[in-house]
Amino acid sequence: MPLRSSPPTPARAGRWLLCSLLSLSLAACGQGSSSQAKEPQGLSSQGAVLGEARIRLMAANITSGNNQSYDPGHGIRIFQGTKPDVVMIQEFKYGANSDADIRAFVDTAFGSNFHYYREPQSGGIPNGVISRYPILAAGEWEDSSAPDRDFAWARIDIPGPKDLWVVSVHLLTASSGTRNTEANQLVNYIQQHVPAGDFLAIAGDYNTDSRNESCFPTFSAVVSTSGPHPVAQDNKEGTNASRAKPYDHVLVSNNLRAYQTPTVIGASSFSAGLVVDTRVYSPIEEIAPAQSGDSGVTGMQHMAVIKDFLVPSDDPTTPVPTGRVTVVVPNGGESWSAGSTRSIAWTASESTHVKLEYTTDGSTWNVIADSIPAAEGGYTWQVPASATTKARVRVSDASEAAVADTSDADFAITSTPPQDTRAPITQETEANNSVATASGRVGADKNVSGTLSSGTDVDWFAFNVTTAGSVKVKLSMSGAQDLDWYVYSASDLFFSAASSATMSNPEVGTFSASAPGIYYVKVVGYAGATGAYTLNVSGAGVQP
């Protein structure tokens, strides 16, 4: 029988599972869609201005290596960096291709809340669909020309009154005539089973040598094939390795094409969509963790293609947020020492302020900063003293929690004391009048000599604390000059952690370093005092 259906793999159970079973039973009888699914509605029936939901569709045959699989990780990084909502994926292979392996791939590349369907191929190069939104029904339509894959389809419950039907295709390289035969077969399936009022996307690896092939007029019976077409930043449409041929496409029905909107990633905007070639994408940080060489590695099949759409949503009063944030660092795999100072980095569009949080167990979230300007793109964070292998960072819009991103995988916080690899000093080095130019490092109980040469001179020194605890600072003057010291942690350079500003000689004080990390001593002259001095920092936790 040409129509074969299988249940999608859920990220949750509920209403859609019942709907899926009903839909599949009717589809097997040749009746197509189920009456349990949402009925197509005209937009005019809503009676109020609808909100909008941004949906990013991607065609992706981006396996690499020698086995046509996603194991090498280059394609995974591209998925993580571009954040698609619905992917029509080809060569859907990972690990041993077990259910657990495929689920782990989806979790890593997209998130544990994503749904997927993979055609049940025992071998071959199966097609599939991965979706942020619930998959109501899914299955495969037979591609009689291809022995190792079929047409994988899914009906998706996107926001709004219409469902989105998608078909993941991988047409044969044999000839343009063969591809047109496949196109005719697929168009026939669509006309039989997809309601005319719903949205439709046919996406994937068409293997087309040019846009003049006969399959495009065939496909135009159900989708729009006209330009403008997506391009990379070099303004080329090609998606094969040499970028000379348009192999890959995201083609959608006319009613969905009406809602196409520019694809926006970071500060970059692509009016007709994007061909993702990391070799020419700039700045590459916008699609981190993707790396500039990912699209050119050995065995990389093609370039992914992206199109964005703003579709009417269900809510007639509250627009669906369209902003996007992306965690760049830490994004998984890092190992950070407890107490060390690290930079959190992100990209954001259509957000003015962001909230930063972290978790050490995957469930409890702790606030790092409630609201900082999104445009800063970075934040200096003192890593908490909580050893774990399950840490992640979350960045969200400070006023819209639904716009958020989390580290794509766990990173580790280790209890290993952080080490400053610089050799200890015995003499200051000018100019050291700021934190950025601080002399260092000052070793534990090692005397360091310096001089304030003018009334405006200020000297900064750095020392490293490997274990939290008591630290003693001693400043000895060579004469009667009145010099003072202040200590700051790298995580707070505005308020001193300790100071000694009396008329004593030496100026001596102790403070409790609450966490490992870099600390700074600032030496200043009271009322413009100048002269030579000796600085000594000691304590069991100070790095020798």
Side-chain angles (χ1 to χ4, degrees), residues 327-381:
V327 175
V328 178
V329 178
N331 208 36
E334 298 88 350
S335 181
W336 289 358
S337 298
S340 62
T341 301
R342 300 285 183 165
S343 293
I344 297 172
W346 65 87
T347 62
S349 62
E350 300 182 51
S351 292
T352 58
H353 287 78
V354 294
K355 179 180 181 180
L356 308 181
E357 301 167 280
Y358 75 93
T359 181
T360 58
D361 60 10
S363 59
T364 302
W365 290 91
N366 308 284
V367 175
I368 299 171
D370 280 310
S371 180
I372 57 178
E376 290 187 2
Y379 182 85
T380 301
W381 180 45

Side-chain angles (χ1 to χ4, degrees), residues 58-122:
M58 173 186 274
N61 185 2
I62 51 174
T63 58
S64 59
N66 298 320
N67 298 313
Q68 289 180 289
S69 78
Y70 289 92
D71 293 272
H74 309 100
I76 290 176
R77 287 199 292 262
I78 293 171
F79 288 134
Q80 291 171 337
T82 54
K83 306 291 184 187
D85 297 306
V86 180
V87 179
M88 283 60 78
I89 188 171
Q90 291 76 57
E91 302 183 3
F92 197 171
K93 296 164 59 179
Y94 184 77
N97 298 315
S98 65
D99 289 345
D101 285 341
I102 298 300
R103 182 70 254 175
F105 162 75
V106 173
D107 289 351
T108 299
F110 305 96
S112 59
N113 60 321
F114 272 68
H115 310 253
Y116 76 90
Y117 169 76
R118 179 178 184 266
E119 59 171 320
Q121 289 278 352
S122 57

Side-chain angles (χ1 to χ4, degrees), residues 425-426 442-450 461 463 471-477 485 487 506-511 521 523 533-539 542:
I425 61 172
T426 58
V442 177
D445 208 22
K446 301 291 185 182
N447 288 334
V448 177
S449 60
F461 298 87
F463 66 94
V471 176
K472 178 181 177 181
V473 180
K474 178 181 177 181
L475 183 68
S476 303
M477 282 70 75
W485 59 261
V487 169
E507 291 276 10
V508 181
T510 61
F511 75 99
V521 180
V523 178
Y533 60 85
T534 300
L535 175 67
N536 184 282
V537 179
S538 61
V542 178

Side-chain angles (χ1 to χ4, degrees), residues 139 154 183 244 249 277 372 488 491 513:
H249 308 272
D277 186 347
I372 57 178
Y488 301 83
S491 61

Side-chain angles (χ1 to χ4, degrees), residues 510-526:
T510 61
F511 75 99
S512 178
S514 60
I518 299 295
Y519 289 78
Y520 296 94
V521 180
K522 179 175 70 171
V523 178
V524 299
Y526 176 74

Side-chain angles (χ1 to χ4, degrees), residues 285-347:
E285 291 78 14
E286 287 186 340
I287 56 171
Q291 300 174 12
S292 58
D294 283 345
S295 294
V297 297
T298 301
M300 174 57 70
Q301 291 297 310
H302 299 158
M303 311 298 119
V305 177
I306 288 172
K307 288 183 180 179
D308 283 15
F309 302 86
L310 280 177
V311 300
S313 74
D314 292 305
D315 191 335
T317 58
T318 304
V320 175
T322 59
R324 285 182 182 267
V325 295
T326 302
V327 175
V328 178
V329 178
N331 208 36
E334 298 88 350
S335 181
W336 289 358
S337 298
S340 62
T341 301
R342 300 285 183 165
S343 293
I344 297 172
W346 65 87
T347 62

